[in-house]
Amino acid sequence: MQASRFQPSPRCSLLHRYEEIRGTTLKLTEPFSAEDQMLQSMPDASPAKWHLAHTTWFFETFILAPHAGNYRPFDVRYKHLFNSYYKQLGSHPYRGSRGLMARPALEEVHAYRSWVDREMERYMEQDINGAARLVELGLNHEQQHQELILTDMKHALWSMPLRPEGRSRLRAVHDSGPLAWLKIEGGIYQVGYNGAGFAFDNEGPRHEVLLPPFQIASRQTTNREYLEFIEDEGYRRPELWLSDGWDSVCTHGWNAPLYWEKRDRKWCEFRFSGAEEIDLAAPVCHVSYYEADAFARWSGCRLPREEEWEIAAKSANSAESGGFLEDAEYHPRPGQTRGAQWFGNVWEWTASPYTPYPGFAPEEGVIGEYNGKFMCNQFVLRGGSCATPVSHIRPTYRNFFPPQARWQFMGIRLAK
Amino acid sequence: MQASRFQPSPRCSLLHRYEEIRGTTLKLTEPFSAEDQMLQSMPDASPAKWHLAHTTWFFETFILAPHAGNYRPFDVRYKHLFNSYYKQLGSHPYRGSRGLMARPALEEVHAYRSWVDREMERYMEQDINGAARLVELGLNHEQQHQELILTDMKHALWSMPLRPEGRSRLRAVHDSGPLAWLKIEGGIYQVGYNGAGFAFDNEGPRHEVLLPPFQIASRQTTNREYLEFIEDEGYRRPELWLSDGWDSVCTHGWNAPLYWEKRDRKWCEFRFSGAEEIDLAAPVCHVSYYEADAFARWSGCRLPREEEWEIAAKSANSAESGGFLEDAEYHPRPGQTRGAQWFGNVWEWTASPYTPYPGFAPEEGVIGEYNGKFMCNQFVLRGGSCATPVSHIRPTYRNFFPPQARWQFMGIRLAK
Amino acid sequence: MQASRFQPSPRCSLLHRYEEIRGTTLKLTEPFSAEDQMLQSMPDASPAKWHLAHTTWFFETFILAPHAGNYRPFDVRYKHLFNSYYKQLGSHPYRGSRGLMARPALEEVHAYRSWVDREMERYMEQDINGAARLVELGLNHEQQHQELILTDMKHALWSMPLRPEGRSRLRAVHDSGPLAWLKIEGGIYQVGYNGAGFAFDNEGPRHEVLLPPFQIASRQTTNREYLEFIEDEGYRRPELWLSDGWDSVCTHGWNAPLYWEKRDRKWCEFRFSGAEEIDLAAPVCHVSYYEADAFARWSGCRLPREEEWEIAAKSANSAESGGFLEDAEYHPRPGQTRGAQWFGNVWEWTASPYTPYPGFAPEEGVIGEYNGKFMCNQFVLRGGSCATPVSHIRPTYRNFFPPQARWQFMGIRLAK
Amino acid sequence: MQASRFQPSPRCSLLHRYEEIRGTTLKLTEPFSAEDQMLQSMPDASPAKWHLAHTTWFFETFILAPHAGNYRPFDVRYKHLFNSYYKQLGSHPYRGSRGLMARPALEEVHAYRSWVDREMERYMEQDINGAARLVELGLNHEQQHQELILTDMKHALWSMPLRPEGRSRLRAVHDSGPLAWLKIEGGIYQVGYNGAGFAFDNEGPRHEVLLPPFQIASRQTTNREYLEFIEDEGYRRPELWLSDGWDSVCTHGWNAPLYWEKRDRKWCEFRFSGAEEIDLAAPVCHVSYYEADAFARWSGCRLPREEEWEIAAKSANSAESGGFLEDAEYHPRPGQTRGAQWFGNVWEWTASPYTPYPGFAPEEGVIGEYNGKFMCNQFVLRGGSCATPVSHIRPTYRNFFPPQARWQFMGIRLAK
């Protein structure tokens, strides 16, 4: 986050956004029972109830406790219980044991949210100058967890032996026009966030990069294209894969994206609305970096570097409508064609390992653990997905996951 | 179960017992929320909700489906879902994944129980001759799971980061009189079940064994005695341990029974009612076979063989009141002194690996998987615990667990 | 070992046997290079070089160091290095790391053997009264390791990618006469060692057992019979297996005994002399307890208990020649028909878990760790194999291995 | 490798270098017995015997078999046996099982080397034009394995329970002058190989990068400096570490570099010549990327990116003597001060994940698996170590290891 340039939203607007975003989180979990919200289907995913509590803990820990006078915590044990990974705050529960938290009950967590919301509102009405930046951070944090609630709950539903359907109709929109290649000139470009609004510390500082000329696909890879790769024995040809990728294929027996399975010789995909036949025109989703990389190699192309992606996305977008930053209703967005599908459809794996930008400085204090310490063994994804809150999408946004991760809404865009 | 000798209870009595026992199961889970009942704190333990469903599945699968005309299953998917380990019925979910069953919801499982209870009652009113034996088996099965609900829920509460208290006051009664040694003559004895009521197949056939003379303790080992072992460095002296036992000590860092921890230099024990200071006069509980064996070696004694235990228990009991078989109210039984504490306090590890009696024949058909296939790598425990339904306790009853198990109510009686 | 009855061999004879047995060990390893002798193909097996050193360590540690005046150890570091599992002697290397002992070199280990042999001979010539019992124990220990050298080296050869052949022609003799059933009367029998020679502590004390009448096969199960089990889908029918056995089948993908593989639709077996077609008339070998048990169940029979085996073996043997105890040349014994194949062909799994006999007392002192601490999670095997030194075979001998072990020469005899 | 620019060495020179480099490999293994050369102390390391065979396999597979007319392989089974990871050649043994190769014997591997050397010499004398590039590749490959022989053997010696000493005196030279900061101007620079000699494919293509101004340390971090980090609780402060790094610290219990241990309150380091007290003036060695990164953070600095390193090294070197490319005697080089310690002392971790340069194209055919498929989850190291053959060191050379690796000669240079 670029503290020096940060221009806080006016107070009333911030309070309004606080209420709206916090409300959205609750709305996302509404369709699910207390039992559903307890499920942790794998160590990487967290129970929805935990997300509800942890995002609340964030405001309590980083704003109310240090800044709001006389704040009395809802339950002193939560300081430890809902700490995700901030080592400087002391110990925290092992991540894989979040599914053991039958207590506190969901209704207790709801009460915790109400308690903290009331205190936050009181605090924001009185004195916001000091902590406006932190409130923005908390809201962006909350939005990240909104997406995780959806991806983790999808994985939980899929992991249940009965494999029930959710009630959401969330999915990536299709955009099956012919693939064109955008040509970008070589030269020195600016990348990284430089605006007046909020951005994470890892999006800056803005800096110059020297790019050779390159071409990038006008749209994401479709299921139709990915099926050709599968049918061409893509999952059986080691020469197409990174060494670690091939190990993953062999160890896990991958033969298609996550959530795909063959029924009566037809590929189906598990969605929130249940298993459905593959939509050939939709972007391929739930592939790992290894699969994205192998597909690109098979295509005779490569994945774009994150700087290339950022330059191209801005270029494509300004050429069209430029409207990708305005707020909008949450998912689904059936008719969306905005931004030539660069934003809010599926995250796109880039070829860039997640590393600090030149001159990167993490936030000061404990909050500095937010981003910087994960800059290792992960790859950057760009663009946002159908599960990302629209107001959370930015062209400079750097999402990151380990190369074997598949449970996020992750897809492919080719470059060459 | 010795089919040839089995004398079914009169119909009305069986129906009455069905209702009573099924009702008791529900009552045991009542204090716990749907979230609590989803918890699987380790692969050995199962969620309470699963116990509720699986015991119901047992009646549906082995009685209603094959014997009740026109039975329509509550949900056809449950046949697979709540199968524990009967391989001949087809596949079943992996045991360690029972905690993933957010669906069906607890209320759905309650509806399942009601559905099956209604059908069972209708069936038992009409025609019971054929399946009375199976109903008895189902009720005994249900009682086993009543005990598991308590032991698994205790482990779940203890595993939760917040470590809440249950509301039960369940615990082993103390009996801290001086330890006496019962002397049993050598000779040929009869062991194994031979009565007219119900017994599991593994309790028979009755057969003769030749026992040398032996002595056996008049009561179970107390916490006071076990503490002496701890304070004499019992957990640090490999010469006291079986080789596999010592490996367990080192691997798991055992230095006291399960649920014990030191607070302010005092040993406390986690109970349903929370952590409390050790009751020195109470029997030691939650020890593995390895610990029982090491304690016995340290004492200059040994554990009794199961045949010795059975002969001694009958002998001690007939000498007193002989009343151990009559039905009684469920736990707790604060004033119990029946049977010199042989029954219903803590299970007692015997030195006997769990093997078939001479002439053992498992039940015919799928139900034969109930007991026989586990006769390997386990040890026999005798006597029943405070968590065992009183009507489920028999002197010939053979409980069995692997030697490293500690989460049942397991204790020690010495022999020499 | 029954010290009170033990009658030591005359001094010269003991010295003679010492030299002979120690020489045999070396002869067994002669065909193998220093590199071969370093191999540890799995944690259960040990390198041949380690066996050479550890057996030497045994004499050094239990006889020379405490009993021979002024003994100077060959290398003080060996006290720790070649300790197998005697916890009371202090720490020892992790078992699975024996393959890391490139040093000391094989020739160094040979020098160590010579050093200890010279000292042992000097000691035995002077004063043997005190330690004769320990020398006998050391020689029996050495003979156990002679067998392990063969079984571990067989596994090592088979594990090498090139799968070379050994030069030994070691194999179980065939005995494919028709299977008859020996009938043994019920009654009280004596089992356990009671002679004047050497026996391990676990073979005693002699005690009475009450056996019901039983029948036992006159010979071991043949490959022909076991093939019928395989072809009848024995490895695919869970109802034939113990629960833990079925887990092993599924985990390891077992579909035949160890060392079997199909080539051109014919079953071949890896032997010291290379892969050869199965000899249908030979006893089946390299099966686990689980497989022996499943085969017996499939046959409508069971495995004999160890007491049954001992009574039957003595009975069968005395009926024939009784000659099983005289010394004889080491393997192979192509024309052997002695003892109706009860001794020295393949070890036979019994249905008896390895537990102490009534009144069992381990050897005093550190040496008490030899046998007693392993009396858990193992099953008793009887009879000896083609890899067992003939002078090491006794009808009361109790070998023991975990139920999943297959790399020893292990086979099946049925009972009913 | 930049095929288009590659200028092969004259034939006689290439033959000469072949003989010299192949001879060096043998010389490196000479001090070690056949048993030593069989050791695989961890899956990452390989036995020296395997290195001898695999490097030979490389020439046989990629040159003799396809290019030398009528070549008859030494042993057809070696094609599979000594394949390291070339998937397109079919299967290969599991890496962690290289220690099982007791066969072929070391002398057999020596014969294999002689056989291939004779054939290679014959081939090179006749026709080298086609394969000169491949011979160069094979020689560079051989040199990489020369370094691995040393690092793997060091780890093997250290892993042996007796922890013997090697006879080599290999170590990084010290250079304890005061640390100065070289200032490099920002601007557009050329990086990557562009010369006429040999380079790996991953060193090119040469391309332009835009660098901001930076400073880089004039020498490597010393043990003295690293000790300050240790004494300042560096291994106990999670805020200094990457998240994955902190997990490694906790999982492995790291509290110092590999090979360090405290004796009598003094830090010692295991070297080929045995354990010795730390040389405070020598560069710290055997640290992981995680440790290098944490040390840099603690220092208020960072690690250099690989492009920064390359520019700075060239700059520093041309300022001094420029002599870093000439051939020289192998190690040790006690008096070396060349290149201000940039080359041939310890490898230096850079902050750059190992990724392809823009325009990177792997070698065509199977040999393309050499480098490209590993461009994931690793970090680039620069400069070469005291174990690197001098003629193998280049300023553009990109070594790479996973961030947790420590057994190579790996150290630190700071930047800011």
Side-chain angles (χ1 to χ4, degrees), chain B residues 297, chain C residues 1 201 359-365 367-373:
Chain B
R297 191 167 291 109
Chain C
M1 183 160 41
D201 56 2
F360 166 73
E363 300 273 336
E364 299 228 332
I367 205 72
E369 294 190 45
Y370 196 111
N371 277 312
K373 74 179 182 182

Side-chain angles (χ1 to χ4, degrees), chain D residues 364-383:
Chain D
E364 298 229 334
V366 177
I367 206 70
E369 294 190 45
Y370 197 110
N371 276 314
K373 74 179 182 182
F374 299 109
M375 291 178 171
C376 189
N377 304 326
Q378 316 221 35
F379 280 82
V380 172
L381 300 104
R382 292 295 193 113

Side-chain angles (χ1 to χ4, degrees), chain C residues 35-36 49 103 106 160-161, chain D residues 35-36 49 103 106 160:
Chain C
E35 289 153 288
D36 291 341
K49 180 165 77 173
R103 316 279 178 93
L106 179 59
M160 289 186 210
Chain D
E35 290 152 286
D36 290 341
K49 180 165 76 173
R103 316 279 179 93
L106 179 59
M160 289 188 210

Side-chain angles (χ1 to χ4, degrees), chain A residues 32-36 38-41 49 77-78 81 99-106 157 159-162 164-165, chain B residues 32 34-36 38-41 49 77-78 81 99-106 157 159-162 164-165:
Chain A
F32 301 106
S33 71
E35 289 152 287
D36 290 342
M38 246 192 78
L39 259 196
Q40 181 172 39
S41 53
K49 181 165 76 175
R77 300 171 304 172
Y78 289 8
L81 191 64
L100 293 177
M101 297 180 192
R103 315 282 178 92
L106 179 59
L157 292 169
S159 299
M160 289 187 209
L162 287 187
E165 302 169 3
Chain B
F32 300 105
E35 289 152 287
D36 290 341
M38 248 191 76
L39 259 197
Q40 181 172 38
S41 54
K49 181 165 77 173
R77 300 171 303 172
Y78 290 8
L81 190 64
L100 293 177
M101 296 179 191
R103 316 279 177 93
L106 179 59
L157 291 170
S159 299
M160 289 188 211
L162 287 187
E165 302 170 5

Side-chain angles (χ1 to χ4, degrees), chain A residues 108-182:
Chain A
E108 199 77 356
V109 168
H110 285 162
Y112 177 40
R113 287 185 73 88
S114 300
W115 173 284
V116 164
D117 285 350
R118 199 169 46 244
E119 296 288 328
M120 278 297 295
E121 283 153 18
R122 182 181 308 164
Y123 171 67
M124 281 192 276
E125 276 160 6
Q126 291 166 1
D127 165 24
I128 190 57
N129 294 337
R133 205 168 62 99
L134 281 168
V135 175
E136 281 288 358
L137 180 63
L139 292 177
N140 274 269
H141 176 257
E142 182 105 10
Q143 288 182 310
Q144 290 184 315
H145 282 274
Q146 286 173 0
E147 177 154 5
L148 293 173
I149 284 171
L150 292 167
T151 57
D152 293 0
M153 191 52 81
K154 181 172 181 178
H155 196 267
L157 292 169
W158 179 75
S159 299
M160 289 187 209
L162 287 187
R163 198 163 284 184
E165 302 169 3
R167 296 176 204 167
S168 161
R169 293 177 41 78
L170 186 70
R171 68 176 62 182
V173 299
H174 61 151
D175 182 1
S176 62
L179 189 151
W181 291 95
L182 310 185

Side-chain angles (χ1 to χ4, degrees), chain B residues 4-293:
Chain B
S4 57
R5 308 184 57 99
F6 178 70
Q7 308 246 350
S9 315
R11 187 191 305 173
C12 62
S13 144
L14 189 61
L15 180 53
H16 178 71
R17 290 188 48 238
Y18 179 90
E19 286 164 351
E20 188 179 272
I21 288 173
R22 294 281 288 170
T24 296
T25 310
L26 266 187
K27 240 174 79 184
L28 287 173
T29 59
E30 254 174 31
F32 300 105
S33 70
E35 289 152 287
D36 290 341
Q37 294 193 44
M38 248 191 76
L39 259 197
Q40 181 172 38
S41 54
M42 62 173 173
D44 286 345
S46 298
K49 181 165 77 173
W50 183 88
H51 287 298
L52 290 180
H54 167 69
T55 48
T56 304
W57 170 93
F58 193 93
F59 288 106
E60 184 177 58
T61 302
F62 292 116
I63 297 175
L64 294 177
H67 297 294
N70 297 323
Y71 175 72
R72 193 164 55 82
F74 180 78
D75 187 321
V76 290
R77 300 171 303 172
Y78 290 8
K79 185 184 169 184
H80 162 81
L81 190 64
F82 294 120
N83 179 4
S84 51
Y85 54 64
Y86 294 87
K87 309 287 183 187
Q88 295 171 73
L89 296 177
S91 69
H92 56 82
Y94 165 62
R95 181 175 184 164
S97 72
R98 290 175 186 166
L100 293 177
M101 296 179 191
R103 316 279 177 93
L106 179 59
E107 58 185 21
E108 199 78 357
V109 168
H110 285 163
Y112 178 40
R113 287 185 73 89
S114 299
W115 173 284
V116 164
D117 284 349
R118 199 167 48 243
E119 296 288 327
M120 278 297 295
E121 284 153 18
R122 182 182 307 164
Y123 171 67
M124 281 191 277
E125 276 160 6
Q126 289 167 0
D127 165 26
I128 189 57
N129 294 336
R133 206 169 62 99
L134 282 168
V135 174
E136 281 288 358
L137 181 62
L139 292 177
N140 274 269
H141 175 258
E142 182 104 12
Q143 288 183 309
Q144 291 183 315
H145 283 274
Q146 287 172 0
E147 178 153 5
L148 293 172
I149 284 170
L150 291 168
T151 57
D152 293 0
M153 191 52 82
K154 181 173 180 178
H155 196 267
L157 291 170
W158 178 76
S159 299
M160 289 188 211
L162 287 187
R163 197 162 285 182
E165 302 170 5
R167 295 176 206 167
S168 163
R169 293 176 40 80
L170 186 70
R171 67 175 63 182
V173 298
H174 61 152
D175 182 2
S176 61
L179 188 150
W181 292 95
L182 310 184
K183 294 186 184 176
I184 308 282
E185 301 284 307
I188 294 180
Y189 290 92
Q190 305 271 330
V191 295
Y193 192 76
N194 197 35
F198 174 85
F200 284 112
D201 56 2
N202 65 9
E203 297 176 56
R206 170 160 292 202
H207 61 286
E208 293 187 328
V209 292
L210 175 63
L211 296 183
F214 65 95
Q215 299 182 46
I216 193 164
S218 63
R219 59 159 175 74
Q220 297 165 343
T221 296
T222 61
N223 284 326
R224 177 177 289 113
E225 288 157 351
Y226 199 81
L227 259 174
E228 286 175 39
F229 168 74
I230 296 177
E231 286 164 4
D232 195 31
E233 305 290 340
Y235 282 93
R236 302 194 182 186
R237 293 162 56 187
E239 67 272 21
L240 297 173
W241 296 78
L242 288 166
S243 181
D244 288 353
W246 185 246
D247 288 348
S248 283
V249 168
C250 297
T251 304
H252 305 298
W254 288 349
N255 64 353
L258 180 64
Y259 298 131
W260 285 36
E261 62 176 2
K262 237 174 182 166
R263 296 190 180 176
D264 305 329
R265 304 193 169 186
K266 284 182 183 163
W267 282 109
C268 290
E269 184 181 11
F270 177 77
R271 296 210 187 98
F272 271 105
S273 46
E276 295 176 34
E277 209 174 317
I278 295 291
D279 176 354
L280 292 173
V284 68
C285 190
H286 297 301
V287 291
S288 64
Y289 175 80
Y290 296 131
E291 288 161 298
D293 171 83

Side-chain angles (χ1 to χ4, degrees), chain A residues 17 21 72 90 94 172 179 291 364:
Chain A
R17 288 188 50 239
I21 288 174
R72 192 164 55 82
Y94 165 63
L179 189 151
E291 288 160 298
E364 299 229 331

